[in-house]
Amino acid sequence: MAYINPLHPPVPSSVHSSYTALAGACSAYQPPFAQALPPTHRRLPQAPSSKAPTSRRSPPCPAVTFELYGAPSHGLGVPMCELLARSGGALERMLVGANDGVGAQMSGSFGFRRANLKILWPGYEHLDRTYPLDIHTPAGPLTRGPLAVQVARAFARFIEELQGYSPAQHGASWRFGNGGIGFNRLMLSALWNVHDDVWLAEVIVDFR
C-alpha cells in the first residue's frame, strides 16, 4: 500500500510556482524541483559561498533525490522528523529507492569516501556549518535511506547548536525557537553537489 503523507495535500494549479533556487544550473545535476508548493511552504534559500573554489578537481555528481511513496508531486521532499523516527523497514516503505546505493555516485571520479554537507541558513550565514556524511560502509556504498537519516541528523544538530543565537535582521522570519522554525518543519528534497566533496541540501520548510 502506498505511503500517504498528510503534510503534502494535493496542490491546486493556482499556486504553481516556477521559482527554483538553482535556476540556470545543469538539469542533470539539480533536483527535480516541485512544480508547485503549498502557499504555507517555502524553499530554504541557499547559494554556494563566494569563498567556494571556482574550479573543480572532480566533475559534478548527479543530485540525490528523496521522494515519498504516494506524494502528490515530485520534489516535495520527506519530513526530516519522520526520517529519524522510523526504523529500517518502515523507512523502506516510506522512501522511494531507499535501498539504492547512492554513495557510489556521490564518490565522484576521485572516489571520495566521505562527503561534506554544508548548511547555510538565512540570517545565520556567519554561523554556517559543515557536517561529514559517510557515503561508504564496510558493506559497500551507502544507500539512500541511511543517507537521508544522516542528513536529517545534521540538520537537527544544526538547529540545536544555533538555538541560542539571534538571526541577522534580513533572516528574522527564518529564526529558530521562540515561535520560530523547529526541526519538525523541515522536509528533505535532495542533495546537490556544489564542488568536489561538498554538497548542499534542497530543503522545504513548512511555515504553518
Side-chain angles (χ1 to χ4, degrees):
M1 184 174 65
Y3 177 84
I4 304 300
N5 179 17
L7 292 177
H8 298 308
V11 181
S13 59
S14 59
V15 299
H16 281 202
S17 170
S18 61
Y19 171 80
T20 127
L22 298 175
C26 176
S27 59
Y29 300 100
Q30 69 182 41
F33 295 107
Q35 295 300 307
L37 285 179
T40 55
H41 291 57
R42 295 165 63 185
R43 289 187 176 90
L44 176 65
Q46 295 189 93
S49 169
S50 59
K51 300 177 183 178
T54 56
S55 62
R56 288 177 174 267
R57 294 181 299 155
S58 175
C61 298
V64 179
T65 58
F66 304 95
E67 297 281 353
L68 280 172
Y69 282 113
S73 178
H74 291 297
L76 291 177
V78 182
M80 291 192 192
C81 58
E82 292 286 335
L83 291 170
L84 297 189
R86 294 177 181 268
S87 62
L91 192 61
E92 292 173 11
R93 293 189 292 271
M94 178 181 75
L95 181 64
V96 176
N99 292 321
D100 293 345
V102 296
Q105 74 182 52
M106 294 178 68
S107 294
S109 60
F110 273 58
F112 296 115
R113 307 288 295 181
R114 174 175 286 184
N116 289 298
L117 173 67
K118 195 169 188 64
I119 300 180
L120 306 171
W121 198 277
Y124 298 90
E125 291 88 351
H126 60 298
L127 298 171
D128 66 349
R129 297 286 193 274
T130 299
Y131 300 93
L133 303 174
D134 292 316
I135 56 178
H136 282 269
T137 71
L142 191 70
T143 56
R144 193 185 314 269
L147 174 63
V149 171
Q150 282 195 56
V151 174
R153 285 176 178 158
F155 271 87
R157 181 179 170 187
F158 176 78
I159 292 179
E160 182 180 2
E161 290 176 351
L162 271 62
Q163 284 282 359
Y165 295 90
S166 298
Q169 186 172 2
H170 70 273
S173 63
W174 294 87
R175 73 188 186 281
F176 300 125
N178 298 321
I181 297 170
F183 177 70
N184 63 335
R185 303 296 181 90
L186 307 186
M187 288 167 280
L188 175 63
S189 177
L191 287 177
W192 55 282
N193 188 206
V194 181
H195 63 85
D196 297 332
D197 61 347
V198 178
W199 294 69
L200 286 177
E202 174 72 358
V203 175
I204 297 171
V205 182
D206 182 354
F207 274 83
R208 287 178 295 183

